[in-house]
Each structure stands twice: as C-alpha cells, then as structure tokens.
C-alpha cells in the first residue's frame, strides 16, 4: 500500500522559508509521486511565525537544546514543538517523515547545533519537528537521503 508521507512544504515549492526564497526539491516530489505516496505538507515555522521571519539556530543551553532566533535570541522551541505534536495527533496515519536537510525544525539527522558562544558543535542533530516524529517512532529521513527503498 502506498505510504502517507509528511513533507516539509518548502520542498514542494511553497515559499515558506525564513526569507521567502524558494527551495523546492523536484527530485523528491517526483520520487514520491512515482511511488503513489499521499503527501501531507507542513511548515511549523511559517505557521507559528509567518514569512519572512528571523532565522533560528539550534543551541545547547543549560535547559537543553533550544531553537533560538539568530540575532534576538528569542526562544521559539515551544510553539514549534506544539505545532509538531498537534500535526502528528491530527495525522496519526503518517508512515514517513521527509524533512528539509539542515533545518533546525525539519532536519532529520543533519541539523546544526551550536553552543551559546556560537560555535558549531554538531552537524548530525534532529530539528524540533523531526525529533517529535522520531519520538513517535515514525520513520524519518532528510530529503537528500530519500531512496527508493524507503518508499517501498
Ligand atoms: S524547513 Fe521546515 S520550517 Fe523551514 S521552511 Fe521548510 S517546512 Fe518550513
């Protein structure tokens, strides 16, 4: 049976990135469409903060990993986590999560993590929404790692 796939909306061509630029991934869309997947789009950051918005980073703090805006250092973790929980509660039949690589919200195993001094300490983290997918045992991959075998 074809999979139901949750997909970062920017990959499908929605201009929901922080700066409004397009970042579509036509190869991923082609693969999903060829395999007959049902696609459910999501964008936690646009839903919570609109577009354009200040970019954010994952930062390790005394209170754990937080999503902080790049310059004003506003903690945006909670709204994104709430969006993610609501999305998966409302879409319990999702089989596969495909997130935009390196996004602090959607990156599955490629999100960048900084310390509070701005030093890069990891390039292998999960963004906040991807972490919620993993916590629910939903199979999850970065867009650039989507292979045909994952779609079978
Ligand atoms: S990576 Fe995620 S949060 Fe960022 S624009 Fe794409 S869907 Fe939205």
């Amino acid at each position: 049976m074809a999979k139901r796939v949750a997909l970062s909306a920017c990959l499908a061509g929605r201009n929901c990135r922080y700066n409004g630029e397009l970042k579509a991934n036509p190869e991923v869309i082609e693969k999903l469409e060829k395999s007959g997947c049902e696609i459910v789009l999501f964008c936690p950051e646009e839903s919570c903060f609109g577009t354009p918005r200040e970019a954010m980073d994952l930062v390790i703090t005394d209170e754990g990993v937080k999503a902080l805006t790049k310059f004003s250092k506003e903690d945006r973790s909670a709204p994104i986590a709430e969006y993610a929980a609501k999305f998966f509660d409302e879409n319990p039949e999702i089989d596969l999560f495909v997130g935009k690589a390196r996004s602090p919200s959607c990156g599955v195993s490629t999100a960048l993590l900084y310390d509070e001094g701005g030093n890069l300490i990891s390039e292998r983290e999960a963004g906040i929404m991807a972490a919620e997918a993993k916590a629910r045992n939903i199979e999850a991959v970065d867009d650039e790692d989507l292979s045909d075998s994952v779609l079978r």
Side-chain angles (χ1 to χ4, degrees), residues 1 3 6 9 22 27 32 38 50-51 61 64 84 93 101 107-108 110 116 123 128 134:
M1 202 170 75
K3 293 194 172 185
L22 290 176
E27 276 176 37
L32 294 175
E38 183 180 339
T51 302
T61 72
E93 66 297 326
V108 173
T110 52
E116 289 182 285
E123 298 175 280
I128 292 182
K134 288 177 166 181

Side-chain angles (χ1 to χ4, degrees), residues 1 5 13 22 24 37 45 63 65 72 74 77 82 95 100:
M1 202 170 75
V5 179
L22 290 176
C37 292
E45 294 184 34
E63 294 168 10
V65 174
S72 56
E74 186 187 323
S77 316
E82 281 161 24
D95 303 298
K100 168 81 184 71

Side-chain angles (χ1 to χ4, degrees), residues 8-10 16-17 42-45 53 100 103 105-106:
S8 291
C10 54
C16 51
R17 295 190 74 230
F42 62 84
C43 180
E45 294 184 34
R53 58 188 172 274
K100 168 81 184 71
S103 158
S105 295
C106 302

Side-chain angles (χ1 to χ4, degrees), residues 75-91:
D75 182 359
R76 294 194 155 173
S77 316
I80 296 171
E82 281 161 24
Y83 172 96
K86 187 164 181 273
F87 175 86
F88 292 117
D89 285 348
E90 289 176 353
N91 295 280

Side-chain angles (χ1 to χ4, degrees), residues 84-140:
K86 187 164 181 273
F87 175 86
F88 292 117
D89 285 348
E90 289 176 353
N91 295 280
E93 66 297 326
I94 294 292
D95 303 298
L96 175 66
F97 176 96
V98 180
K100 168 81 184 71
R102 288 171 291 284
S103 158
S105 295
C106 302
V108 173
S109 56
T110 52
L112 310 180
L113 179 66
Y114 296 86
D115 67 17
E116 289 182 285
N119 302 301
L120 180 65
I121 55 175
S122 170
E123 298 175 280
R124 306 293 306 161
E125 303 302 311
I128 292 182
M129 183 147 176
E132 179 68 22
K134 288 177 166 181
R136 294 178 184 233
N137 293 319
I138 296 168
E139 188 176 13

Side-chain angles (χ1 to χ4, degrees), residues 1-67:
M1 202 170 75
K3 293 194 172 185
R4 183 170 281 201
V5 179
L7 178 72
S8 291
C10 54
L11 299 172
R14 191 191 292 173
N15 60 339
C16 51
R17 295 190 74 230
Y18 73 95
N19 56 5
E21 276 182 10
L22 290 176
K23 201 78 174 180
N25 187 332
E27 276 176 37
V28 162
I29 300 300
E30 195 184 328
K31 276 184 193 168
L32 294 175
E33 285 179 349
K34 254 191 196 162
S35 60
C37 292
E38 183 180 339
I39 301 172
V40 184
L41 299 178
F42 62 84
C43 180
E45 294 184 34
E46 178 168 74
S47 291
C48 296
F49 311 112
T51 302
R53 58 188 172 274
E54 190 177 345
M56 59 183 208
D57 292 319
L58 290 181
V59 177
I60 182 78
T61 72
D62 292 344
E63 294 168 10
V65 174
K66 301 285 183 188

